[in-house]
């Protein structure tokens, strides 16, 4: 601890002639300064300087390092306890202690488990003066558990409803960080409507159709082990409702009207309120009976979370969150209580006392609840520690009286409550030391006259020394009437004057000796501005100048800086700063302001300011502006070897003031015709003093510049050649690198002709070995840029320098750089190569480093070659595919990722330098354990029958082990795409074909198929197939049941069957499942927008109603969502309007059929009567019918729409099998307007001839064999009516 410089002044009695400063102890204790030399000599009890945190969470994949560092004199020894008992590290081969340290290293990477070393550890540092102890360090390995397996059912909601998607992450150590993403690892967008709560759940105030997705995935990131765990995806489908009823807010979290929250002092208080409602409610926060702390309050998660940073007891109280939307508002009150773990009011401080002195140790802490204070000495509770008559305990204070050397010890103060504890070590060190002065001798203090000066005299001694100051070699002690003495030994001169310059001596005395130190004082003249800038009013476009002349102490260097409005001057060429003034040309309106001149030295600074006001100029005729005319009359005067003065006459400025002159030169000797920039001067100057280089034939020219641009160059001046001189600089970019193992190539960037300063430019190249005693070897070479030294040893450091010279002499001594002779390939291979297989795809390789001398070059790193052992079928290949990983620098271990499970690998390690690779280490073979297999290569469903399906598959391309079995899971899918019960089946690993029997006919099944090794199941492959409807088959071969459907989305075979005011639309879909369709239609040839109807589910048919009779319509079908594909358009025409047509199709068919039957009976009766009258015989109608070859009722003729013969009314023969017409020849209309009859399922369910819709959605279970698509069923009245239409 350092001596404190106390601002408090201590004056002695004026009655004493020699005034001596006695420094008193504030708390009867002496502080030990942290002076290295002092600490080396003093005996000192142990002090803990570094330790691991109290709650220490470790990575189970790495070695455990428990830190404990301490200092003391003599150096302390260390011991440990574990769970309250002595921890004998010598008995555990995995535990070592760092030398000269108490830090433990537990090597669990080679063997052992982190869980074995869980517990509470405490370190003790001990020497002859006492023992210091560390905190209780609780060691716990981090954990990142997997999610428990669960079956997540798809969620279906109507538009506008609230929703909470639970996350429920696994409990890890430390707790995981939660976030929601999709399958593409893109974060899900959040807003006032959708947001993540503090518990990780995803809250929807109300759902919208765009929320529909199948990949709501909750991720848990465990930062300590750098792992991420994933929950099973959640599927959400939002059904669009015609209108969603708006509702006032209600809280999703927290529940009820009130809740309680408890937080610890110093933490971040987080309060959360999430509400649902329609429209989306907004959240507001207030604190009852108080205001929120503005500088510590943060709103997060779209104001749903209120955070208060560094919370304290004053933040306790009731907080209210208010959720509000257009329909109302609700509130929730959170009662907050802030507790506190112990915190220091006054931690005990180290005491250094001399024998016989008194002192105190004070330990004061606060908390909620109030912490309990307990004392220990040298790590032992003070109640059972050896008695010390010099100490007395008074609650939180230990009082020491008349201490002796045996009173030295380390005391521990423990303040604890239910929320934590504090532990502080403070030693009492009883020393007898003569005075020492710690301030550096002969320190020089430079001060400005009339200002205070402080002369330091830091000191130490035990007992506390007295301090005395003297001026001059034989001066008397200083008195209080002029000087001020501080308790830390500092001497203050309140107002320094010139006569205070001189040497001052500080003397420290105690009963054990005396020490003194001299310091020196120089008093400097203050800096003054003798000509200050003055207020100026100038016209726009004119020039203004501000003066600033400075006078300062001649031994100091002054710098002058100009400011505008307390900031830097504008970066504008119009502002020119000279030695004593600032010039602003072409003044603008924004140049107005305050200009300040600041003069600085190393000891003081002064400033002066003036205001510039800009006014409009007096109106004048509009001038013609142009670039200046070229300067003329160039003249060279004051011609010296290294300088010359150039003067010129400016040309006309053409109504724009000249702002600067640019001077260029030509070197006729080295670069004739090429002009270079020499200097720039203010537009107010017509002369310039130019610095020249030796051995150059100069010509000069001048150009003028104004705001319009730059003038043409002037005529060139007369030539002036300077004398030759030795070079004033040496080559740059000097390097020494070897191109071969036995040479050193020295290169440099040569000087150009202008830099040579004379004829005969050459270079003196010198070199010698860095680590040897050899003299420099030198050689003079011509004007080149490289020299090769041969016969050098391999890769040896050399010192190199290159010096320029010409006929006049040498350049200054060059800088020495270090290079190396050439590298050679390394000689030694890395040894002791070890492989630790981490898992089935990762291995860790360790090796011993090679000796540095064997590298013979710059160490680039180590390179691992590894390759997979070839199978017998691959051994005929000439080339083995080897992989290479390079590890930079001197690393002695590395990870091999991307290995194949259940494989044999071989590797070797080589060291790499700048020349190349060294020899390979002996090959080291290792094997990776089994992993989970990849998905089977293929899965086909063949030979579908009524109740069976045969599956054929190819094994996984990467089995990653020995296959133990296959698992087949399958479940039926009904017509509404709902999944049935899941059936699990195990299949031997040697099978590639399996037949499933006793399946439901005409049923779609979904299959999940994967292989397993002893490690576990691999990735699955899925397929779908359908059992056939009956033996004959209903679907054509290209879409037959049991075939796996195409996955490229496509809508084809769009057809329309139209009636008068309605039409049945059907289509064929090929692609992924669970697609929602829509139908768009409009009047053909019209520019009106398409009308859109949403299809229920994923049906492939739809009925359009409310159409206009006799109108041509266009129609197309599309898919909702991301797929976004649309069919081609089709055109159909509705039938003409009929006055007698009724709306109900079923009733209309029944009525017309009945009328036709009555007419047919009357016609038959008339024919029979006519025949009997002509023949005179009696033939009853029944006999005539029996004479017919086909007794069945004839179907209606499609060409003219009339009925065939109808049976006698007395003949009640049933309709043919498969007919849907009831025996009473009536058709019952379905109750729902959205029935399958309306969608074309009535009677035969067929729309077109390509079979795209035949039987797919009909309710028929059986059919008689028929040719083509014709039906032999008896027609119903509905059929007859459909034929008419």
């Amino acid at each position: 601890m350092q001596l404190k410089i106390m601002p408090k002044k201590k004056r002695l009695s004026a009655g004493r002639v020699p005034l001596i400063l006695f420094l008193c102890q504030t708390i009867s204790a002496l502080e030990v300064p942290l002076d290295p030399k002092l600490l080396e000599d003093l005996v000192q009890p142990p002090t803990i300087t570094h330790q691991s945190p109290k709650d220490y969470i470790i990575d189970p994949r790495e070695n455990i390092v428990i830190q404990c560092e301490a200092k003391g004199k003599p150096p302390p020894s260390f011991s440990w306890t574990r769970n309250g008992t002595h921890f004998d590290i010598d008995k555990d081969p995995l535990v070592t202690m760092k030398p000269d340290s108490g830090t433990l290293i537990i090597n669990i990477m080679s063997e052992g488990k982190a869980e074995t070393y869980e517990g509470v550890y405490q370190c003790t540092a001990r020497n002859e003066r006492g023992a210091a102890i560390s905190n209780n360090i609780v060691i716990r390995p981090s954990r990142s558990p997997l999610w428990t397996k669960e079956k997540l059912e798809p969620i279906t909601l109507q538009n506008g409803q609230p929703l909470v998607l639970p996350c429920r992450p696994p409990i890890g150590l430390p707790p995981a960080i939660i976030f929601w993403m999709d399958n593409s690892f893109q974060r899900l967008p959040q807003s006032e409507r959708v947001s993540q709560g503090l518990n990780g759940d995803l809250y929807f105030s109300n759902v919208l159709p765009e929320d529909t997705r199948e990949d709501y995935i909750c991720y848990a990131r465990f930062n300590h082990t750098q792992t991420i765990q994933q929950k099973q995806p959640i599927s959400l489908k939002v059904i669009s409702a015609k209108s969603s009823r708006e509702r006032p807010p209600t809280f999703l979290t927290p529940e009820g009207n009130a809740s309680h929250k408890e937080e610890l002092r110093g933490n971040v208080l987080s309060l959360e309120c999430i509400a649902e409602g329609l429209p989306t409610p907004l959240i507001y926060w207030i604190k009852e009976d108080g205001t929120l702390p503005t500088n510590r309050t943060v709103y997060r998660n779209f104001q749903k979370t209120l955070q208060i940073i560094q919370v304290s007891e004053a933040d306790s109280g009731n907080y209210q969150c208010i959720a509000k939307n257009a329909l109302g508002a609700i509130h929730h009150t959170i009662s907050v209580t802030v507790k506190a773990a112990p915190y220091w009011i006054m931690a005990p401080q180290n005491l250094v006392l001399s024998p016989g002195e008194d002192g105190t140790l004070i330990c004061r802490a606060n908390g909620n609840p109030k912490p309990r204070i307990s004392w220990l000495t040298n790590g032992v509770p003070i109640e059972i520690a050896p008695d010390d008559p010099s100490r007395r305990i008074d609650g939180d204070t230990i009082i020491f009286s008349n201490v002796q050397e045996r009173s030295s010890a380390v005391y521990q103060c423990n303040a604890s409550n239910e929320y934590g504890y504090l532990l502080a070590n403070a030693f009492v060190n009883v020393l007898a030391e003569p005075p020492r002065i710690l301030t550096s001798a002969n320190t020089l203090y430079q001060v400005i006259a009339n200002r205070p000066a402080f002369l330091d005299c830091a000191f130490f001694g035990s007992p506390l020394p007295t301090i005395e100051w003297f001026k001059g070699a034989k001066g008397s002690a200083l008195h209080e009437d002029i000087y001020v003495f501080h308790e830390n030994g500092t001497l203050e001169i309140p107002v320094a004057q010139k006569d205070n310059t001189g040497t001052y001596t500080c003397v420290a005395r105690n009963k054990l000796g005396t020490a003194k130190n001299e310091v020196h004082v120089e008093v400097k003249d203050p800096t003054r501005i003798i000509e200050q800038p003055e207020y100026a009013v100038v016209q726009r476009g004119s020039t203004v100048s501000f003066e600033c002349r400075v006078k300062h102490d001649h031994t100091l260097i002054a710098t002058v800086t100009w400011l505008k409005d307390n900031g830097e001057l504008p970066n504008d060429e119009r502002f020119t700063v000279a030695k004593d003034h600032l010039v602003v040309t072409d003044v603008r309106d924004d140049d107005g302001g305050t200009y300040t001149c600041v003069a600085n030295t190393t000891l003081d600074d002064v400033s002066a300011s003036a205001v510039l006001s800009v006014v409009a100029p007096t109106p004048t005729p509009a001038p013609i502006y142009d670039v200046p005319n070229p300067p003329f009359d160039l003249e060279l005067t004051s011609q010296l070897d290294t300088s010359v003065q150039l003067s010129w006459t400016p040309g006309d400025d053409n109504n724009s003031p000249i702002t600067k002159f640019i001077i260029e030169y030509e070197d006729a000797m080295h670069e004739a015709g090429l002009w270079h920039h020499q200097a720039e001067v203010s537009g107010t100057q017509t002369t310039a003093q130019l610095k020249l280089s030796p051995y150059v034939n100069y010509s000069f020219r001048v150009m003028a510049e104004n705001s319009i641009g730059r003038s043409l160059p002037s005529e060139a001046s007369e030539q002036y050649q300077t004398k030759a001189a030795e070079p004033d600089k040496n080559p740059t970019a000097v390097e020494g690198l070897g191109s071969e193992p036995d040479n050193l190539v020295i290169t440099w960037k040569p000087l150009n002709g202008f830099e040579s300063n004379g004829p005969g430019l050459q270079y003196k190249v010198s070199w010698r070995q860095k680590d040897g005693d050899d003299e420099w070897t030198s050689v003079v070479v011509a004007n080149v840029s490289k020299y090769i030294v041969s016969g050098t040893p391999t890769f040896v450091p050399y010192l190199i320098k290159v010096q320029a010279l010409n006929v006049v002499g040498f350049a200054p001594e060059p800088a020495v750089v270090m290079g190396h002779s050439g590298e050679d390939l390394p000689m030694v291979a890395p040894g002791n190569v070890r492989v630790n297989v981490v898992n089935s795809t990762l291995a860790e390789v360790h090796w011993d480093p090679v000796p540095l001398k064997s590298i013979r070059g710059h160490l680039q790193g180590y390179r691992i070659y590894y390759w997979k052992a070839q199978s017998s079928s691959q051994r005929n290949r000439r080339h083995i595919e080897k992989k290479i990983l390079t590890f930079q620098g001197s690393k002695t271990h590395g990870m091999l990722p991307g290995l194949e499970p259940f494989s044999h690998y071989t590797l070797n390690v080589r060291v790499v330098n700048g020349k190349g690779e060294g020899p390979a280490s002996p090959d080291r073979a290792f094997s990776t354990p089994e992993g989970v297999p990849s998905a089977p290569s293929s899965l086909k469903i063949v030979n579908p029958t009524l109740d069976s399906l045969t599956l054929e598959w190819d094994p996984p391309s990467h089995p990653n082990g020995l296959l133990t079995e296959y698992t087949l899971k399958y479940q039926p899918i009904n017509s509404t795409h709902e999944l049935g019960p899941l059936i699990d089946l195990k299949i031997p690993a040697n099978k590639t074909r399996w037949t499933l029997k006793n399946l439901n006919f005409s049923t779609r099944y979904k299959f999940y198929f994967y292989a397993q090794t002893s490690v576990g199941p691999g990735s699955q492959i899925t397929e779908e197939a359908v059992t056939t409807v009956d033996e004959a088959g209903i679907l054509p071969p290209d879409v037959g049941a049991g075939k796996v459907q195409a996955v490229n989305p496509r809508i084809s075979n769009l057809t329309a069957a139209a009636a008068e005011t309605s039409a049945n639309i059907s289509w064929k879909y090929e692609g992924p499942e669970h697609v929602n369709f829509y139908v768009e239609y409009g009047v053909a040839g019209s520019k009106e927008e398409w009308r859109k109807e949403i299809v229920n589910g994923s049906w492939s048919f739809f009925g359009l109603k409310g159409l206009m009779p006799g109108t041509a319509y266009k129609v197309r079908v599309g898919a909702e969502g991301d797929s976004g594909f649309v069919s081609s358009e089709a055109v159909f025409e509705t039938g003409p309007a009929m006055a007698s047509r009724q709306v109900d199709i079923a009733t209309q068919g029944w009525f017309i059929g009945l009328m036709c039957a009555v007419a047919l009976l009357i016609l038959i009766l008339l024919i029979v009567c006519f025949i009997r009258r002509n023949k005179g015989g009696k033939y009853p109608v029944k006999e005539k019918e029996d004479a017919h070859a086909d007794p069945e009722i004839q179907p209606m003729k499609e060409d003219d729409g009339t009925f065939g013969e109808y049976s006698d009314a007395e003949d009640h023969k049933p309709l043919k099998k498969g007919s849907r017409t009831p025996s009473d020849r009536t058709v019952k209309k379905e109750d729902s307007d959205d029935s399958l009859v309306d969608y074309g399922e009535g009677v035969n369910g067929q729309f077109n001839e390509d079979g795209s819709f035949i039987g797919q959605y009909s309710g028929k279970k059986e059919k008689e064999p028929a040719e083509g698509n014709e039906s032999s069923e008896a027609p119903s009245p509905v059929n007859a009516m459909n034929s008419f239409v």
Side-chain angles (χ1 to χ4, degrees), residues 326-361:
L327 275 70
I330 59 170
H331 71 271
H332 181 95
T333 301
I334 305 175
S335 176
V336 174
T337 302
V338 178
K339 299 290 186 178
Y343 57 92
W344 290 120
I345 301 298
M346 180 185 293
Q349 303 294 320
N350 294 332
L351 283 180
V352 179
L353 302 174
S354 60
E357 288 187 327
D358 302 336
T360 58
L361 284 180

Side-chain angles (χ1 to χ4, degrees), residues 495-566:
V495 181
Q497 300 295 331
K498 283 286 189 177
D499 57 1
N500 292 124
T501 300
T503 300
Y504 292 77
T505 303
C506 168
V507 179
R509 292 187 179 92
N510 69 7
K511 62 183 179 180
L512 300 178
T514 302
K516 65 179 181 178
N517 184 48
E518 289 185 351
V519 296
H520 307 283
V521 175
E522 291 182 358
V523 181
K524 306 291 186 180
D525 292 327
T527 304
R528 295 180 298 135
I529 299 177
I530 57 177
E531 283 192 28
Q532 299 186 357
E534 297 180 352
Y535 173 76
V537 178
V538 298
Q539 292 182 352
R540 189 185 310 119
S542 61
T543 299
V544 66
S545 177
F546 292 106
E547 299 295 324
C548 182
R549 195 174 301 278
V550 176
K551 184 177 181 180
H552 58 88
D553 193 286
H554 69 279
T555 63
L556 301 177
I557 299 175
T559 58
V560 177
T561 305
W562 286 91
L563 305 176
K564 180 180 184 295
D565 298 329
N566 294 322

